[in-house]
Amino acid sequence: QVQLVESGGGLVQAGGSLRLSCAASGLAFDNYAMNWYRQAPGKEREQVATISADGGTTTYADSVKGRFTISRHNAKNTVYLQMSSLKPEDTAVYYCNTAYYSGGYYIHYWGQGTQVTVSS
């Protein structure tokens, strides 16, 4: 079965950096676009960044553009999120995600999430 396992979260001061990793298994990784989402307490889950299957196209939420970088290593079945110039409002649980379209629906896979806390 598909498994997505995030790592790399933690506590960091404002202005600092963290790199999140997501190791995928159970799927043909290089066929799937990959996403990072985040959810802060009391807020809806927000899509943060997306990378195409071949890594050639990336998109970002306006709130992280210029500070976060998504990348992937297809030989390692891993996607990364490099976060710099972190702000307290970046505090959230970060989730790795992928999805495929089947029978009129998107089928989503999620990791368990990793906590990122940015102190002011």
Side-chain angles (χ1 to χ4, degrees), residues 2-116:
V2 175
Q3 284 195 313
L4 302 175
V5 180
E6 302 98 335
S7 61
L11 174 64
V12 64
Q13 288 190 330
S17 299
L18 280 175
R19 189 176 83 154
L20 306 183
S21 299
C22 171
S25 60
L27 76 168
F29 183 74
D30 54 2
N31 286 348
Y32 287 80
M34 298 295 297
N35 310 295
W36 285 98
Y37 283 75
R38 68 184 181 186
Q39 189 166 22
K43 294 189 176 182
E44 292 189 355
R45 194 168 291 192
E46 172 190 22
Q47 188 167 1
V48 173
T50 297
I51 187 166
S52 61
D54 66 359
T57 302
T58 56
T59 58
Y60 299 92
D62 287 342
S63 57
V64 307
K65 206 171 290 184
R67 301 187 298 119
F68 290 11
T69 302
I70 188 171
S71 62
R72 66 191 295 158
H73 194 307
N74 282 352
K76 294 184 178 180
N77 284 9
T78 302
V79 60
Y80 305 97
L81 187 68
Q82 178 68 46
M83 306 184 294
S84 303
S85 302
L86 283 161
K87 305 175 181 180
E89 51 263 43
D90 294 318
T91 295
V93 179
Y94 284 72
Y95 297 92
C96 182
N97 163 273
T98 192
Y100 69 92
Y101 190 74
S102 176
Y105 299 92
Y106 278 99
I107 309 299
H108 286 266
Y109 296 109
W110 296 94
Q112 82 287 353
T114 186
Q115 176 71 48
V116 171

